Amino acid sequence: MAPSCSGGRLVLQAARAVIATFRLLVAAVVGTALACLLLSASVGSLLPVTVHADLLMAPSQVVAGTELQFLDALNADRVANGLTPLNHDAELGAVARWRSEDMVARAYFSHDIGGYMVFQVLKDRGITYQVAGENLAHLYGTKNAAVRAEMALMRSPTHRANVLLVEYTHVGVGVALGPNGSYVFTQLFKRSAL
């Protein structure tokens, strides 16, 4: 006879939140996805869980696909406004992904990274620029997440100004999956140093 859980839905919701957080931690350490299983509240039995298809993919696949969509949406907005698309910069992309992952891991959402800004990180990593900028977005839900994040940035005058700044030539984008279906998006812009 299979053990039963009291509190049914509440236990299942709490367990899903714990597993989502645990999945992120394991993925960050070993770079693999967890099997889609739920530990029952009693006797440690395993129960199958129905999960959105995006959550069944390894986080790196979800992140890479979402980052590509985010970059495409950003460049589509630039082209729609008569500007040239920005060149993808892998170094900026690595910093942008780190920024998103750091915000998820430390549960904050800010341009302030504990007393310093991303420009110090760029300097520390030897990334030179004439001008640079950063946009951040945080939202819930997997459906069209990258497009919705870009739309939200374009509705904000200061973020829109960053997306449409003619001086920028390069961009890196980063995405991190947070618990409970949240996403944190980072755009890092620069004009290369002479």
Side-chain angles (χ1 to χ4, degrees):
M1 181 172 169
S4 63
C5 296
S6 61
R9 288 186 181 175
L10 292 177
V11 170
L12 185 59
Q13 288 173 342
R16 282 182 176 157
V18 168
I19 286 176
T21 301
F22 186 68
R23 190 178 283 140
L24 287 172
L25 293 173
V26 169
V29 173
V30 298
T32 60
L34 290 177
C36 201
L37 297 172
L38 172 65
L39 287 175
S40 168
S42 62
V43 203
S45 64
L46 296 176
L47 300 173
V49 178
T50 303
V51 181
H52 190 280
D54 284 354
L55 299 179
L56 297 176
M57 297 168 58
S60 60
Q61 291 172 311
V62 172
V63 166
T66 305
E67 286 174 346
L68 184 58
Q69 292 169 357
F70 195 38
L71 177 62
D72 288 346
L74 178 152
N75 276 329
D77 281 335
R78 286 183 60 88
V79 169
N81 284 277
L83 301 171
T84 59
L86 296 176
N87 296 307
H88 177 260
D89 184 292
E91 288 181 312
L92 284 179
V95 175
R97 184 179 290 167
W98 170 80
R99 284 285 288 129
S100 292
E101 290 171 347
D102 184 59
M103 286 184 274
V104 167
R106 295 193 299 134
Y108 75 100
F109 183 74
S110 175
H111 292 286
D112 185 319
I113 312 170
Y116 62 98
M117 305 295 261
V118 73
F119 310 108
Q120 183 62 48
V121 176
L122 297 177
K123 180 181 176 186
D124 292 347
R125 292 197 183 188
I127 299 172
T128 59
Y129 58 88
Q130 288 180 8
V131 62
E134 177 182 62
N135 280 347
L136 305 175
H138 180 246
L139 57 88
Y140 290 89
T142 59
K143 186 172 183 178
N144 299 317
V147 173
R148 290 187 301 121
E150 178 64 15
M151 288 171 59
L153 291 169
M154 290 298 284
R155 285 192 299 268
S156 162
T158 55
H159 295 100
R160 180 184 179 88
N162 262 346
V163 170
L164 301 180
L165 191 66
V166 70
E167 285 83 7
Y168 291 143
T169 56
H170 293 80
V171 67
V173 299
V175 176
L177 303 174
N180 300 322
S182 68
Y183 282 81
V184 176
F185 294 86
T186 302
Q187 295 171 334
L188 288 178
F189 305 94
K190 79 171 187 176
R191 178 178 187 86
S192 295
L194 295 176

